[in-house]
Amino acid sequence: MDKLKITGGRALEGEVRVSGAKNAALPIMCAALLSAKPLALTNVPRLRDVSTMAKLLAQMGVTVNRQEAKTVLHAKEITEPTAAYELVKTMRASVLVLGPLLARCGEAKVSLPGGCAIGARPVDQHVKGLQAMGATISIEHGYMQASASRLRGARIVMDLVTVTGTENLMMAAALAEGETLLENAAREPEVVDLARCLIAMGAKIEGAGSDQIRIRGVPSLGGAEHRVMPDRIETGTYLAAAAAAGGKIRLTGTAPESLDATLDKLREAGARIEIHGSSIDLEIARRPGAVSVRTAPYPAFATDMQAQFMALACVADGTALITETIFENRFMHAIELQRLGADIRLEGNTAVVKGVERLQGAAVMATDLRASAGLVIAGLVAEGQTVIDRIYHLDRGYEALEGKLTALGARVERIK
Ligand code: EPU
């Protein structure tokens, strides 16, 4: 199993281009299921989760043609509206096929995802919404068996804000009969990017980006071309890395407007940030100051940035409170950070992090994607060598991580 060896202690300097957003690309790939015409995508990141989604769609009869700059998905015919456990268990986002399959084929069989390293992650809101649209859904042998002759529009008030839940229902509603109103919808930029793609395919959607999304169903959708938005979490991860390690970096091809909460916190830590179009420059000349964060749905501070900011807090001047409100078990990295000499005390869903002058390299274990990103940041600032095990987690969501870090002057090496 691959490991990542990082020799820490060097400031970051240089320029890298960010990739397309994983969490936008995955639902948008599923949108291809809604149409018999091809969907051509650009800026699709080269990630393991994207390959997993491509494999999942191919099993259903979708033709996936990945070229250098363009990925074309063509669901001319759906031969098998099933998502098997073997793939779903490796990637929870697989549940995003449920709404589109049901809307297009009138039936779907999708494995229940089960738990994961960051929490229970139920899908009751996805199910509840589809039932409100007239679907019959039962659980049989670990699979959700769903059927509906044609989904009907409905007013759906979600009990909590769920990103993939909103996306699943928005896709299903695009082909339903009549109007659907999604209340308490997720406002994440990835939801907006999906809506943009669906609209290009001919869907009638208003309000994406607000907590109320109105979808007027149409009988069929066409083909489209769409450019996947830049990855705001990847962007934020490199910015947090530079804020922790010191230095001066430029990130290009970003979507700065999707990063308000992260940029505010980085400024609070003492970083100077300048935005020119889609480029973000960050410079920090001193030890970062401690900043507290509390995760919440967009536009508040993202849970997917929590581990990276905990790593930053480990070396900051002062004490930071890191509060996680979205997932119940998303502090696994805290224990690993302690192995590097961090001073972290866990109190329920808050981590009290007292910054130390320096961390020391050690062997650590990645537990999930963003936790791994936190460990990478800690490794970059730690004295000596840090070896991160189980970096397949990183390959799920960070394109060309070693290459990009090397371009920023870091000393990183993948050990086979
Ligand atoms: N929830 C329910 N019932 C549901 C759905 C969600 O109780 O039916 C709960 C979850 O257990 C959680 C909260 O609602 O406590 C929010 O979960 P959400 O559904 O928003 O998460 P998700 O859609 O499964 C997406 C991202 C995650 C990101 C979260 C939160 C994708 C593919 N994944 O997951 O990204 O952490 O939103 O912003 O979009 C990552 O990229 O590393 C990652 C985990």
Side-chain angles (χ1 to χ4, degrees):
M1 220 179 278
D2 290 8
K3 296 180 183 182
L4 195 67
K5 185 169 96 184
I6 305 178
T7 308
R10 197 184 264 182
L12 299 185
E13 197 160 350
E15 177 178 322
V16 294
R17 189 173 179 79
V18 305
S19 305
K22 166 179 85 81
N23 289 347
L26 297 176
I28 287 169
M29 290 172 79
C30 295
L33 290 168
L34 291 165
S35 171
K37 297 276 162 47
L39 177 63
L41 303 175
T42 51
N43 209 30
V44 175
R46 293 197 175 269
L47 297 171
R48 209 168 54 115
D49 273 7
V50 166
S51 321
T52 304
M53 185 59 85
K55 210 188 277 175
L56 186 70
L57 295 173
Q59 285 180 357
M60 298 169 187
V62 181
T63 317
V64 184
N65 186 352
R66 171 128 223 194
Q67 289 154 8
E68 198 45 53
K70 206 183 242 187
T71 300
V72 182
L73 299 124
H74 192 181
K76 195 168 175 196
E77 221 180 324
I78 295 172
T79 47
E80 181 72 58
T82 300
Y85 180 61
E86 283 58 42
L87 286 181
V88 178
K89 73 174 182 204
T90 67
M91 186 181 68
R92 259 193 60 95
S94 310
V95 75
L96 283 163
V97 301
L98 179 62
L101 283 178
L102 196 52
R104 170 97 183 269
C105 313
E107 56 172 332
K109 183 179 166 191
V110 176
S111 168
L112 277 171
C116 84
I118 62 179
R121 310 189 74 183
V123 290
D124 55 300
Q125 297 302 310
H126 305 233
V127 170
K128 185 182 117 172
L130 292 169
Q131 283 171 334
M133 293 169 78
T136 307
I137 303 181
S138 60
I139 309 292
E140 285 165 36
H141 305 289
Y143 280 78
M144 294 181 273
Q145 294 269 8
S147 62
S149 50
R150 178 156 182 217
L151 293 171
R152 292 184 312 267
R155 177 166 176 261
I156 300 164
V157 184
M158 292 199 255
D159 297 347
L160 46 81
V161 177
T162 153
V163 179
T164 51
T166 301
E167 292 165 344
N168 230 337
L169 298 180
M170 190 163 72
M171 288 191 278
L175 285 183
E177 193 179 336
E179 186 175 285
T180 298
L181 194 60
L182 296 179
E183 305 263 19
N184 198 21
R187 293 180 284 169
E188 268 65 5
E190 293 77 13
V191 173
V192 180
D193 203 33
L194 170 64
R196 246 184 252 131
C197 176
L198 292 169
I199 290 167
M201 294 166 73
K204 306 272 179 248
I205 301 174
E206 282 167 21
S210 77
D211 60 2
Q212 192 187 65
I213 305 179
R214 192 179 295 274
I215 306 121
R216 270 183 293 134
V218 294
S220 65
L221 292 174
E225 290 196 10
H226 179 80
R227 182 175 173 81
V228 175
M229 68 171 287
D231 198 313
R232 65 190 167 103
I233 307 300
E234 186 198 20
T235 308
T237 299
Y238 287 111
L239 293 175
K248 185 178 174 187
I249 67 165
R250 168 170 293 173
L251 300 178
T252 62
T254 73
E257 66 284 357
S258 65
L259 278 144
D260 287 342
T262 299
L263 296 181
D264 280 354
K265 287 294 169 186
L266 290 167
R267 287 192 184 101
E268 194 184 324
R272 224 185 67 212
I273 291 172
E274 276 182 31
I275 296 166
H276 303 283
S278 62
S279 295
I280 302 179
D281 291 348
L282 178 143
E283 188 174 1
I284 187 159
R286 60 168 173 87
R287 183 178 174 198
V291 288
S292 295
V293 298
R294 181 186 178 82
T295 66
Y298 190 84
F301 189 84
T303 174
D304 287 343
M305 284 303 302
Q306 181 256 105
Q308 300 88 317
F309 269 69
M310 189 184 293
L312 175 63
C314 287
V315 291
D317 187 6
T319 298
L321 302 182
I322 312 281
T323 304
E324 173 60 51
T325 77
I326 306 288
F327 293 109
E328 66 275 19
N329 189 28
R330 212 174 195 181
F331 276 157
M332 303 278 271
H333 42 282
I335 320 297
E336 299 299 311
L337 290 169
Q338 283 168 349
R339 301 203 70 250
L340 301 174
D343 182 346
I344 304 174
R345 200 174 71 242
L346 295 181
E347 287 181 4
N349 68 343
T350 295
V352 182
V353 188
K354 201 165 149 222
V356 295
E357 292 267 348
R358 53 185 61 84
L359 296 174
Q360 290 163 8
V364 289
M365 186 97 83
T367 49
D368 77 74
L369 171 56
R370 308 305 171 186
S372 321
L375 297 179
V376 169
I377 293 175
L380 290 172
V381 293
E383 270 175 0
Q385 280 185 1
T386 296
V387 177
I388 307 178
D389 199 355
R390 300 201 181 159
I391 56 158
Y392 55 85
H393 290 294
L394 283 166
D395 296 331
R396 291 186 56 183
Y398 289 93
E399 183 180 286
L401 180 80
E402 306 102 88
K404 290 186 184 184
L405 286 173
T406 305
L408 295 175
R411 290 166 291 186
V412 293
E413 192 188 328
R414 184 181 288 254
I415 315 171
K416 294 276 177 194

